[in-house]
Amino acid sequence: AGSLWLYRWYYSNLCQRVLGFTIFLILALAFVEFPSSFTRTADVRYRSQPWQPPCGLTETIEALCMLVFLVDLSVKGYLVGQAQLQENLWLLSYFVVLVVSMVDWIISLSLACGEPLRVRRLLRPFFLLQNSSMMKKTLKCIRWSLPEMASVGLLLTIHLCLFTIFGMLLFSIGEKDETQNKERLAYFRNLPEALTSLLILLTTSNNPDVMIPAYIQNRAYALFFISFTLIGSLFLMNLLTAIIYNQFRGYLMKSLQTSLFRRRLGARAAYEVLVSTAGLAGATPEAVGVNPENFLRVLQKTQLHSDHKQAIMQKVHSYEGRPMLADEFQKLFDEVDKGVIKEHPPMPQYQSPFLQSAQFIFSHHYFDYLGNLIALGNLVSICVFLVLDSNLMPGERDDFALGILDHVFVLYYLLEVLLKVFALGLRGYLSYRSNVFDGLLTIVLLVLEISALAVYRLPNSRWKPDHYGPLSLWDMTQLVNTMIVFRFLRIIPNVKPIAVVASTILGLIQNLRAFGGILVVAYYVFAIAGINLFRGLIVPPGNGSLVLNNRSALCGSFEQLNYWSNNFDDFAAALITLWNVMVVNNWQVFLDAYRRYSGPWSIVYFLLWWLVSSVIWINLFLALLLENFLHRWDPQSYKQLLVGTRQ
Amino acid sequence: AGSLWLYRWYYSNLCQRVLGFTIFLILALAFVEFPSSFTRTADVRYRSQPWQPPCGLTETIEALCMLVFLVDLSVKGYLVGQAQLQENLWLLSYFVVLVVSMVDWIISLSLACGEPLRVRRLLRPFFLLQNSSMMKKTLKCIRWSLPEMASVGLLLTIHLCLFTIFGMLLFSIGEKDETQNKERLAYFRNLPEALTSLLILLTTSNNPDVMIPAYIQNRAYALFFISFTLIGSLFLMNLLTAIIYNQFRGYLMKSLQTSLFRRRLGARAAYEVLVSTAGLAGATPEAVGVNPENFLRVLQKTQLHSDHKQAIMQKVHSYEGRPMLADEFQKLFDEVDKGVIKEHPPMPQYQSPFLQSAQFIFSHHYFDYLGNLIALGNLVSICVFLVLDSNLMPGERDDFALGILDHVFVLYYLLEVLLKVFALGLRGYLSYRSNVFDGLLTIVLLVLEISALAVYRLPNSRWKPDHYGPLSLWDMTQLVNTMIVFRFLRIIPNVKPIAVVASTILGLIQNLRAFGGILVVAYYVFAIAGINLFRGLIVPPGNGSLVLNNRSALCGSFEQLNYWSNNFDDFAAALITLWNVMVVNNWQVFLDAYRRYSGPWSIVYFLLWWLVSSVIWINLFLALLLENFLHRWDPQSYKQLLVGTRQ
């Protein structure tokens, strides 16, 4: 009974939330720790000295977090039991990671935070990983598809090598006139250079450029590059997508089947328990089954969503008190799968016929349409002013009309909120999510407008509000006004085909948590590794001659493109740099710059990141998306599959 | 009987090949016609005056082709019949296209080829389209998925517009200090500019660049661009893939089912006919069925692959002359689906035990492995020389060792061919496709080496063959030597996982014909339209100051990047330009250049091409690939589906 209580306590909402918050906290520490990310810009030329936390501050928080993890580990270990503990690799490595982190923490403190390498930072994402079963499953799925991916990888390598050799021979052919061998000098200078050029062409990142020098000499050379891209990018890279999708399709299906099977097993076990207690009273063969009253009493104590509970109870009542058979008992729990249609509170009753007709008008959905129309008008007015102002300098603009219009629109939004509250009642109004958003937006807008009025007085002709501070009140008002843009999103559910697509995206986001987690882990590990490898390597050009230096840099180079802020000097900057490499476009600039600043081996880091993020993760994401969409659009065959396993 | 004969004649191999060749011819005319593509380079700066065909040459060929099409149309119309003819939209538009082409042809001749616009060139791809039923089906499938794609397109538009307005407001906020509003000046100058910037960001083609000016000012601005890319590129663009895949999946399945159903219907009809002829002789109820002898006689006259015929005949003989029932008759044709295992001719018999053991050795597959190993050695030696020579100018290189090595390798390849012919016999040798390739390669290499020997004499130390002509004999030898690279591909079937993947790719290529055709149609139409719109607009910079002008051009512009050869001045150049836009990377350069050279409306052309090629076609291709792979890897569920429809 004690361990059952512990189990219940451990899996209670509070406990899991504390654990989740701890994980979030220890991960977020990376922004604060040395090198901290608290600067306005990440550009090495303009960056100020960031605030650094004193030694011991982040370490204390870390110690607290590790204490929580220690408790978590011991509870989990106790619940799993001694015998299974030794076989559970995840728990064992959890233990190892905790021990290593603690040893590293002690070393860190004893060196007064001056240690050169903090191993525990690299290990932190493990805490996130081990806490989510979905992420563990996804990792397993990736591991299963690795052999097939390796075979495509091998094909890709062969493809790359063959074309490299072929290309080098091809471009060395017409080489006797030294003026014309630009191609060889530019992209096929030597073997590693040629390999890198074609590898980047595989991601199409240097597409027209790499073929230009050869193509200028002879049209036919274009065929070499086109066939390389066709085979490599179109066939082999998409093959990776197919492989991952194929592996993943079965995986999601199996995981769904498993969870359904577990639930049915649980329901059956509950049935057996409940039957046996009923059987004690005095069983006739006809009366075998679960007594509804017993069941309802048990149901009250379970942790189910109240709407689902309600639905199950209604169904139980429909059996009119006779004992339920196993099949009926199972069917009860199908209610959990059904979507709950939220009922809105009743509208307030007014006596006067005038009020009643007003209520009818303002609760009608045409009134919503009118609101959307006004929001659209607001949007259009903003656009018009943007177009009118685009050629004027900020000092020359006339903000009078825009100021007046803003006031008018805010007044209308306020009126709309009040009328809707009158028509639906406050609780009815708040039961719609779109209304909550509108209401909040209106209130924030109102507060800002009123304070703007208090500061700048009423707008008048040639009226110019002062702009002071980095983000003045006027700017703030404008910014919140742009939020009106999002009001526009309310239109989406009104258009049928868009609504289907949008609802699928929303449904997808829920399934996305595990994938997001894996992406977070990958980003974290690579960012920390990148900080350790490349911190401080990107140095600003000699000061004083900033502009000149910029001009003299080669076109398309890191320096000319002003990529100075894409460095690994702190955690936030590293994340953005990794994002830019993940998007792949122009990543050859990063490869080239880091080769120059830190050495030729930096290419390994970027290649690994490209493989993990762009090749594996993006394909995984596409697979998830395809899977979700196909299920949503073809639920028939999907249900059939689940039924098929039941038999 | 006459129309049956006509039908047979029309669908005979000869007729269909003539028709196919005619279509190929009329499409290929675009390379020859004014503006013809017969220049060495497409670069406007270095391009020589191309040869232009005299007026009437291409027109005569065109007239002949149209005559063939006229015959094709009348035969098709006769076969379809009067009643169906009026309902068959494809045939009607075939007629209209032919008439328009002829009228245009007459106008062209009467103006002595000086007409400003040739409409019939735009219409030519129609001949390709109407001749392939698969392409018509694919087009239908695309048309079906258009509504759903339009809804995603609408979402994309809303997404784009909202972020544009939001971005313009955001970047106009900190605008009072004029020195720092680079972002607004660079990418968000005015509404169309901002819209274009974000549209290009949707294809990630300007990814780090567009965020750099804002990101330098404040780290937080990066979130704007990241969330835009996340929603737009990752969610909405992949949604398009999902939609097309979903539509396409059903379509391929249905088309397969239909063709299977048709075959079964045909078999059943054949059975009924054959039964009725047998029934005339004198039917007892037990002997109902098809007489095998009758069937074999009919089978001889059908146009089936001889291997399939053989297999069916074997199966018929297994029934030992008793009449076949309907079910057995159907099963006969399942043989057609089965793969044919090609039998190689028997090896020659030698008397002497020495010859026998030699035959055993050289026909063993270890001998193949040795050949592959030698090919690998050849490859490695080429690589070594490439690495060694990479830092030397062509004049300084010592070609002696490479020349000797080439001779040695060619001698070995010759020996290998001879030994294999000895072991397997000539017919046995030629029955392996890989051997045919090797043999041809060896003979070409041998001829080249011998002629090289005759010209340059035996290699000696410090030996330097003369290089003369654009492609000297020595270059030719080197080039063919690089073909050895492809020998290496023979290894693939020996490695299991690669073999699976490679065989799937080969299988895919057969299914790809319809898609390739649609791509050809799209390229053709857009290339011709592009030639009519943009020919001669890209003019070289003022002559004399080529290098200077290049330096003074803005970094990342069309001129600085030397994209001069990406123009629409002739058909071949237009194709390459369209390919470069299809690959999407750096397409903003094209947009910008053509806006400057030809006006703001050119963006419509490029946008349309992006939508057709990159968005629709690439997704279609991915869908085809996924479909093929999933079927190949999961044939069980696939067969089940076919069986399911049979019941």
Side-chain angles (χ1 to χ4, degrees), chain A residues 39-41 162 169 176 178 204-205 207 209 216 219 239 393 475 482 485 501 555 563 570 580 585 629, chain B residues 39-41 162 169 176 178 204-205 207 209 216 219 239 393 482 485 501 555 563 570 580 585 629:
Chain A
T39 53
R40 193 184 163 86
T41 171
L162 288 190
L169 288 169
K176 45 254 142 200
E178 316 251 323
T204 73
S205 249
N207 175 256
D209 303 305
I216 286 178
R219 287 168 189 268
L239 219 60
M393 281 290 101
D475 286 338
T482 61
V485 161
V501 170
C555 268
Y563 282 4
D570 54 57
N580 283 335
N585 189 57
F629 267 73
Chain B
T39 53
R40 193 186 164 84
T41 172
L162 289 190
L169 288 169
K176 45 254 140 197
E178 315 251 324
T204 72
S205 248
N207 175 255
D209 303 304
I216 286 179
R219 285 167 190 266
L239 218 61
M393 280 290 100
T482 59
V485 161
V501 170
C555 267
Y563 282 4
D570 54 57
N580 283 334
N585 189 59
F629 266 74

Side-chain angles (χ1 to χ4, degrees), chain A residues 244-545:
Chain A
I244 290 181
Y245 177 59
N246 188 41
Q247 192 64 254
F248 188 70
R249 199 173 51 141
Y251 147 76
L252 198 75
M253 197 61 95
K254 220 163 32 185
S255 131
L256 271 167
Q257 281 172 8
T258 312
S259 74
L260 199 78
F261 177 73
R262 276 195 199 145
R263 195 209 290 168
R264 294 187 72 82
L265 198 71
R268 181 74 204 193
Y271 174 76
E272 294 295 340
V273 170
L274 287 170
V275 157
S276 67
T277 53
L280 288 177
T284 52
E286 298 94 56
V288 165
V290 172
N291 190 352
E293 282 168 38
N294 289 346
F295 174 68
L296 287 181
R297 236 180 300 145
V298 174
L299 187 68
Q300 289 306 331
K301 290 184 187 162
T302 55
Q303 290 179 355
L304 270 172
H305 195 277
S306 65
D307 291 315
H308 290 144
K309 248 184 214 173
Q310 212 79 39
I312 293 178
M313 271 160 71
Q314 257 178 3
K315 197 126 189 221
V316 170
H317 285 306
S318 74
Y319 290 123
E320 292 162 350
R322 65 176 174 79
M324 288 178 289
L325 296 176
D327 222 38
E328 291 167 343
F329 191 76
Q330 285 283 17
K331 268 185 195 148
L332 283 183
F333 294 97
D334 288 348
E335 294 293 321
V336 179
D337 284 334
K338 287 180 188 161
V340 179
I341 300 162
K342 206 175 167 188
E343 276 184 20
H344 300 288
M347 290 193 259
Q349 299 285 329
Y350 294 103
Q351 300 300 329
S352 128
F354 171 72
L355 283 179
Q356 274 176 4
S357 57
Q359 184 180 30
F360 174 76
I361 292 173
F362 297 127
S363 65
H364 199 272
H365 58 268
Y366 279 168
F367 188 60
D368 283 341
Y369 292 166
L370 181 68
N372 289 341
L373 211 69
I374 299 279
L376 183 66
N378 196 344
L379 208 65
V380 168
S381 78
I382 292 176
C383 283
V384 167
F385 276 96
L386 277 177
V387 171
L388 288 180
D389 287 355
S390 63
N391 294 322
L392 298 174
M393 281 290 101
E396 301 163 358
R397 283 178 206 152
D398 183 15
D399 293 326
F400 172 63
L402 190 59
I404 290 285
L405 267 178
D406 275 359
H407 286 300
V408 171
F409 280 118
V410 170
L411 278 180
Y412 173 79
Y413 296 141
L414 185 66
L415 198 71
E416 194 191 17
V417 170
L418 292 177
L419 286 174
K420 273 195 178 170
V421 169
F422 152 75
L424 301 170
L426 191 61
R427 282 190 56 212
Y429 179 78
L430 291 178
S431 70
Y432 295 94
R433 258 187 224 167
S434 59
N435 281 344
V436 175
F437 175 75
D438 287 352
L440 274 179
L441 200 64
T442 308
I443 289 170
V444 172
L445 270 177
L446 194 70
V447 169
L448 278 169
E449 289 280 339
I450 288 175
S451 41
L453 260 184
V455 175
Y456 304 124
R457 310 289 147 156
L458 264 180
N460 46 49
S461 190
R462 301 299 311 154
W463 167 77
K464 282 237 61 61
D466 289 337
H467 300 288
Y468 44 77
L471 203 67
S472 65
L473 201 59
W474 172 255
D475 286 338
M476 202 80 111
T477 322
Q478 289 290 75
L479 195 61
V480 175
N481 225 328
T482 61
M483 296 291 169
I484 289 301
V485 161
F486 296 110
R487 245 187 99 111
F488 202 69
L489 294 177
R490 286 197 313 185
I491 294 178
I492 288 177
N494 294 335
V495 187
K496 190 72 198 298
I498 300 187
V500 173
V501 170
S503 74
T504 322
I505 291 185
L506 287 181
L508 185 69
I509 288 173
Q510 292 183 341
N511 282 328
L512 207 70
R513 289 221 308 260
F515 287 81
I518 287 193
L519 192 66
V520 167
V521 169
Y523 263 96
Y524 205 94
V525 171
F526 271 86
I528 297 285
I531 290 176
N532 284 326
L533 289 171
F534 304 119
R535 186 158 61 86
L537 280 177
I538 301 280
V539 284
N543 49 349
S545 60

Side-chain angles (χ1 to χ4, degrees), chain A residues 200 205-207 209 584-593, chain B residues 585:
Chain A
I200 292 166
S205 249
N206 57 356
N207 175 256
D209 303 305
V584 160
N585 189 57
N586 266 9
W587 71 304
Q588 75 271 27
V589 176
F590 293 88
L591 283 186
D592 174 62
Chain B
N585 189 59

Side-chain angles (χ1 to χ4, degrees), chain B residues 260-274:
Chain B
L260 200 79
F261 177 74
R262 275 195 199 145
R263 196 210 289 167
R264 296 186 70 82
L265 198 70
R268 180 75 204 192
Y271 174 78
E272 294 295 340
V273 170
L274 287 169

Side-chain angles (χ1 to χ4, degrees), chain B residues 573-604:
Chain B
L575 288 183
I576 304 284
T577 310
L578 287 177
W579 165 265
N580 283 334
V581 177
M582 174 172 157
V583 173
V584 159
N585 189 59
N586 265 9
W587 72 305
Q588 74 272 27
V589 177
F590 294 87
L591 283 186
D592 174 61
Y594 280 90
R595 188 172 54 190
R596 276 186 287 116
Y597 283 108
S598 79
W601 289 106
S602 64
I603 198 174
V604 176

